[in-house]
Amino acid sequence: MRQTIVAGNWKMNASKEAVNTLVMGILSGMADVKSKVIVCAPFPYLSQAEALATHSQLHIGAQDINVNASGAFTGEVSADMIKDFGVEHVIVGHSERRSLYGETDGVVAEKVQVALDNGLTPLFCIGELLEERESGNTEAVVSRQINAVIDRVGIEAFKNIIVAYEPVWAIGTGVTATPQQAQDTHAFIRSLLASHDSDIAQSTPILYGGSMNPANAEELIGCEDIDGGLIGGASLKPDDFLRICKAG
Ligand code: 13P
């Protein structure tokens, strides 16, 4: 039985005041939440968010890491640095990192490895562009993205990986994949993992991301192979986020 996981990705949205309001708002409604809940804050706010969430069920994550341990990499942040703040999760390979910052499948696979080597749980993001879906290439794209990581870290490593399927055309657009579209791709992802190891495929959490909101969360998370959500916009509103957390 896979536990439902709901993760918020605040992206580049926050201020000291907003972090306070968001974390306190989420904590105030966590009592009857059964899902595992993670919020991924921008680097400067990790410390504040972690301090506010101490001794609670709320987990704090980061949104990226550099592959290097330390050194002359101006502007970058290492796995060790985020661990210093008690962070246990990190988003890797988000489509915005892939498209805006040129992260290739190879770079993403290396980041997954670095996260794992440092005892962090990667939220490993995959997903196809609109033109890739329209040309019937969704399965080929997600296969390529997943195989790059399997080739690098091996299937056993998926015991410590959370997969997030985020069709790029659904991110921030208000256009959500239908439950059937999402379920079909999630089932395909699980079958791909199962072709390597069926037990690991059954235990790997596969989250859906892309315009998930309180109105559609229950139906999406109710699908057999959808184990929760990676939430962008709606994670910035504590009430909406909590409603999604309670949908699982
Ligand atoms: P939205 O929920 O705003 O579509 O963003 C999804 C996402 O990119 C989460 O990582």
Side-chain angles (χ1 to χ4, degrees), residues 9-177:
N9 174 9
W10 294 348
K11 309 193 179 185
M12 199 172 73
N13 299 292
S15 65
K16 280 198 275 188
E17 196 185 337
V19 170
N20 218 46
T21 308
L22 266 167
V23 175
M24 296 314 281
I26 295 166
L27 290 177
S28 71
M30 285 282 283
D32 48 347
V33 170
K34 294 184 193 69
S35 310
K36 173 172 178 172
V37 183
I38 308 165
V39 288
C40 298
F43 293 130
Y45 300 103
L46 286 176
S47 171
Q48 182 190 352
E50 191 61 48
L52 289 167
T54 310
H55 305 309
S56 78
Q57 309 158 251
L58 179 64
H59 301 264
I60 306 300
Q63 298 175 14
D64 186 33
I65 44 166
N66 189 271
V67 294
N68 297 286
S70 64
F73 303 99
T74 302
E76 293 295 295
V77 172
S78 71
D80 256 350
M81 291 174 180
I82 64 170
K83 274 194 340 188
D84 229 2
F85 293 102
V87 168
E88 294 163 351
H89 299 83
V90 60
I91 296 173
V92 173
H94 191 278
S95 72
E96 287 147 21
R97 302 279 338 154
R98 292 177 189 261
S99 67
L100 301 173
Y101 302 100
E103 290 192 10
T104 60
D105 289 333
V107 169
V108 173
E110 193 177 358
K111 289 189 174 190
V112 168
Q113 173 153 44
V114 169
L116 292 169
D117 288 350
N118 282 279
L120 295 164
T121 302
L123 286 106
F124 160 48
C125 300
I126 56 175
E128 80 288 0
L129 304 170
L130 182 60
E131 55 266 35
E132 291 168 334
R133 172 160 286 265
E134 286 178 340
S135 58
N137 285 316
T138 299
E139 294 185 355
V141 170
V142 299
S143 298
R144 192 199 70 221
Q145 293 169 330
I146 294 173
N147 285 333
V149 168
I150 296 177
D151 288 348
R152 176 121 197 168
V153 299
I155 191 69
E156 282 283 317
F158 278 73
K159 286 181 179 163
N160 298 309
I161 292 174
I162 298 170
V163 176
Y165 169 60
E166 300 204 300
V168 180
W169 46 272
I171 295 179
T173 58
V175 181
T176 317

Side-chain angles (χ1 to χ4, degrees), residues 195-214:
S195 69
H196 294 267
D197 187 307
S198 56
D199 289 345
I200 287 176
Q202 278 312 311
S203 61
T204 301
I206 308 175
L207 314 186
Y208 169 82
S211 299
M212 195 186 267
N213 60 47

